[in-house]
Amino acid sequence: MRASGIALGSQAGRVLTLLREWPGLEATAPYCTCGVGVAAGTCQILHLHADDDAELRLTRPAICRMYPALAGTERVVFGRSEDWIGIRLDTAHDTDLLLTLLSVAIKACDRGECRQAVTPCSAALYRDEPVRLPAGTALA
């Protein structure tokens, strides 16, 4: 995976290095144009916006199912978007948490939850200019 704009020594760089071994994932330009995206098939499920900031597209159903457990950690940020959660990447433990939750995001994508209408990540929500999404991508 290519680390465009992400320092290789950062936690986000570590994520990209580890994801090279995961089958079916591809580094892409994120829809929000901020940082690096990671896609499973045609579904972008991870945006690394900076060396220490990630957003993961868990989807509303998965977030609702996991909310009690996710709310118990200070590393997960809610409220940016209904389908995405933020994760601050300061330590290797944060990276491990992100990789664990990435597995959940992949399963949500496999179940077809990514093909439903979704809200964009926070970087796209707070941009001055509109985000151009690929044809066929539905946003709520």
Side-chain angles (χ1 to χ4, degrees), residues 59-81:
T59 70
R60 281 172 261 196
I63 291 170
C64 289
R65 283 191 306 271
M66 298 180 65
Y67 184 80
L70 294 174
T73 177
E74 295 177 5
R75 307 317 298 165
V76 175
V77 179
F78 296 97
R80 293 176 167 187
S81 167

Side-chain angles (χ1 to χ4, degrees), residues 33-55:
T33 69
C34 181
V36 177
V38 175
T42 60
C43 180
Q44 283 196 7
I45 56 174
L46 175 63
H47 289 177
L48 298 166
H49 293 302
D51 293 337
D52 59 359
D53 182 42
E55 283 195 80

Side-chain angles (χ1 to χ4, degrees), residues 38 45 79 90 92 107 109 122 127:
V38 175
I45 56 174
D90 289 328
K107 287 185 192 268
C109 188
S122 68
R127 288 178 50 94

Side-chain angles (χ1 to χ4, degrees), residues 7 17-18 32 40 50 53 55 64-65 71 73 83 88-89 92-93 96 101-102 104-106 108 113 125 129:
T17 299
L18 292 170
C32 61
D53 182 42
E55 283 195 80
C64 289
R65 283 191 306 271
T73 177
D83 296 290
R88 183 95 176 137
L89 300 174
H93 293 295
D96 294 342
L101 293 174
L102 183 63
V104 175
I106 291 168
E113 293 174 17
L125 286 173
E129 44 188 86

